Amino acid sequence: NYLAQKFSSPGVRAAHAVNVTTANDTPTFTIATYAERIDLHNHHAGSWKGCYTICPSSGEMGGNISVCAHTFENGGNVQLHSDISLEATKVETYSPSDGDDEEQLDWAKRVTSQIECWEEENLMKNLSSMYESMGNTYLKSLRRVMPITRTKMEWNVMAHRVVQTLGEGHDKDKFKH
């Protein structure tokens, strides 16, 4: 249900896995989510990887999210790689052996709710603020203020056509310096 809500856009492929490991008679759940969208026709691709660990007996939950976005066109490439470590937090403890199905479902909903909260608060808000400031900070430093010739480029197309037309009608050797 969670994957269908969050990763069901057209062109998105998503998968998840839940593994249970036991150490010292204490089970630990590891939830892995992965989604990707590759749209070569529109020159972009991206992926999302989330890995969350939950210890039901202690209620400890932590994880990390990795996002990669890539856009490209005419030989230019821009990539974003973001790895977010999520602070460990407490969710309600749960013992799988003595719970009924309804209690198990409630616990799973709380875990999913925490994952959604992390995604919204720790990742999406940070990415959103970064995108808002990107044009004035990150990308501005990549652009040249002046061309290498140290003169501003005249973007008036008509002026360039006039110069080209005048140059075609005369002997070009006369204009050499």
mmCIF file of all heavy atoms in Angstrom, residues 35 50 64 122 145:
data_model
loop_
_atom_site.group_PDB
_atom_site.id
_atom_site.type_symbol
_atom_site.label_atom_id
_atom_site.label_comp_id
_atom_site.label_asym_id
_atom_site.label_seq_id
_atom_site.Cartn_x
_atom_site.Cartn_y
_atom_site.Cartn_z
ATOM 1 N N ALA A 35 13.139 2.709 -5.951
ATOM 2 C CA ALA A 35 12.331 3.171 -7.076
ATOM 3 C C ALA A 35 13.238 3.888 -8.053
ATOM 4 O O ALA A 35 14.206 4.537 -7.651
ATOM 5 C CB ALA A 35 11.224 4.105 -6.598
ATOM 6 N N GLY A 50 15.884 3.520 -0.064
ATOM 7 C CA GLY A 50 15.695 3.703 1.371
ATOM 8 C C GLY A 50 15.970 2.396 2.092
ATOM 9 O O GLY A 50 15.593 1.320 1.611
ATOM 10 N N ASN A 64 18.581 5.165 6.347
ATOM 11 C CA ASN A 64 19.164 6.148 5.443
ATOM 12 C C ASN A 64 18.424 6.132 4.117
ATOM 13 O O ASN A 64 17.794 5.149 3.759
ATOM 14 C CB ASN A 64 20.661 5.926 5.254
ATOM 15 C CG ASN A 64 20.977 4.568 4.684
ATOM 16 O OD1 ASN A 64 20.134 3.910 4.109
ATOM 17 N ND2 ASN A 64 22.206 4.146 4.838
ATOM 18 N N ASN A 122 12.975 15.146 6.572
ATOM 19 C CA ASN A 122 14.429 15.109 6.429
ATOM 20 C C ASN A 122 14.900 15.198 4.986
ATOM 21 O O ASN A 122 16.007 15.646 4.732
ATOM 22 C CB ASN A 122 15.003 13.829 7.039
ATOM 23 C CG ASN A 122 14.869 13.798 8.534
ATOM 24 O OD1 ASN A 122 13.829 14.135 9.073
ATOM 25 N ND2 ASN A 122 15.906 13.394 9.211
ATOM 26 N N VAL A 145 30.373 35.331 -16.017
ATOM 27 C CA VAL A 145 29.732 36.633 -16.088
ATOM 28 C C VAL A 145 30.048 37.269 -17.431
ATOM 29 O O VAL A 145 29.196 37.847 -18.084
ATOM 30 C CB VAL A 145 30.190 37.537 -14.927
ATOM 31 C CG1 VAL A 145 29.582 38.910 -15.045
ATOM 32 C CG2 VAL A 145 29.834 36.896 -13.602
#
